[in-house]
Amino acid sequence: MKQSLMDIICCPLDKQELELDATETDGEEVLAGTLTCTECGETYPIEDGIPNLLPPDMRDAEA
């Protein structure tokens, strides 16, 4: 995920801003970490450079 995406993505639940916590990066690319909603506090994982912005109930059904 490119860090520049932070300007356009938002929490799918309440459309508020997301805060990035990158644990692994490669230049501008975020390979692993989390996105946390500044309003509701829900967290969304970033794995292999792909943010999973599915709502929590849909993420659980995916596993």
Side-chain angles (χ1 to χ4, degrees):
M1 175 189 118
K2 298 255 185 249
Q3 288 187 18
S4 58
L5 277 179
M6 293 303 297
D7 294 337
I8 58 173
I9 61 175
C10 63
C11 178
L13 299 177
D14 57 20
K15 309 301 185 233
Q16 297 301 310
E17 289 184 13
L18 294 170
E19 186 175 281
L20 174 63
D21 179 20
T23 57
E24 185 180 349
T25 60
D26 183 11
E28 263 293 295
E29 195 76 22
V30 177
L31 301 176
T34 57
L35 297 166
T36 304
C37 179
T38 57
E39 184 67 27
C40 70
E42 186 60 54
T43 59
Y44 303 93
I46 302 169
E47 297 173 351
D48 298 323
I50 302 169
N52 184 344
L53 294 174
L54 288 174
D57 56 338
M58 292 183 77
R59 262 186 277 151
D60 293 340
E62 186 181 275

